[in-house]
Amino acid sequence: MKIERMMRHHHRAPHEVFAMACTQAFQEKKCADAGALSWHVTVIVEGDTAVVKTKRKLPTIGFPSMLRKIVPSGVTSTETITWGPAAADGSRTAQLHVDFHGAPARMHGTIRLEPHEDGSAVVVVDAEFKALVPVVGGKIEKLAAPIIVSVIDAEEQTGLTWTEDAA
């Protein structure tokens, strides 16, 4: 199932949003804001590239019953974002990989960080979520997609609050 989301960071240029996304504190805050029960974050910045790896456990409270049967004690995922170097205009692309531990699912795609015409930054998530369960995989994808989008939306709100607090 296609997962697409756009996040806008008003009053922050792409290089500022990239710097924010590559801090341990921001990554931990986004886990807390998304309701994670636990998390472990690793950020490795080398020159103009970075790898951000986040392992987190989300509760299944509020999940549809079919999903709770698959992951009754919570869903643990490892998200790896591998950022490439910036282009001349400040834009950059990351590869996104999310593995769901103990659940037959994965998500892969890209994250684009682009300048908006007003100088602010836009982050575009373009990924494919796949439930690897015969017969009911499509149904699981439809049930899980809104949960994935809500985690992305929580990250957007964390980013907006983060940049407002820094201003």
Side-chain angles (χ1 to χ4, degrees):
M1 171 164 276
K2 192 81 158 155
I3 303 288
E4 296 176 298
R5 214 66 178 157
M6 183 180 84
M7 298 175 272
R8 180 91 184 275
H9 292 273
H10 301 280
H11 314 296
R12 294 288 180 242
H15 72 276
E16 294 171 301
V17 173
F18 174 71
M20 171 189 72
C22 293
T23 64
Q24 185 93 14
F26 174 76
Q27 292 299 323
E28 290 177 355
K29 178 85 169 113
K30 89 176 193 186
C31 290
D33 289 353
L37 300 170
S38 62
W39 58 84
H40 176 75
V41 176
T42 305
V43 179
I44 300 170
V45 178
E46 292 183 357
D48 192 32
T49 63
V51 176
V52 179
K53 191 171 191 174
T54 306
K55 183 176 181 179
R56 68 182 130 207
K57 182 174 184 176
L58 292 170
T60 57
I61 295 169
F63 280 25
S65 62
M66 177 184 259
L67 294 180
R68 285 194 317 271
K69 287 177 187 173
I70 296 170
V71 287
S73 63
V75 61
T76 300
S77 65
T78 299
E79 172 188 81
T80 304
I81 301 172
T82 306
W83 287 103
D89 66 355
S91 64
R92 64 177 72 228
T93 301
Q95 296 304 308
L96 169 67
H97 298 279
V98 182
D99 295 309
F100 299 90
H101 306 268
R106 67 172 181 258
M107 189 167 79
H108 298 250
T110 60
I111 302 172
R112 295 186 320 275
L113 174 57
E114 303 169 341
H116 188 267
E117 60 191 29
D118 66 3
S120 65
V122 175
V123 178
V124 179
V125 177
D126 184 9
E128 187 71 30
F129 172 70
K130 186 72 176 158
L132 308 169
V133 180
V135 183
V136 296
K139 185 171 185 168
I140 291 170
E141 290 168 12
K142 288 178 185 172
L143 293 170
I147 297 165
I148 293 168
V149 168
S150 73
V151 170
I152 295 169
D153 290 347
E155 179 176 344
E156 178 180 25
Q157 189 56 50
T158 300
L160 293 173
T161 302
W162 189 274
T163 55
E164 288 170 5
D165 290 347

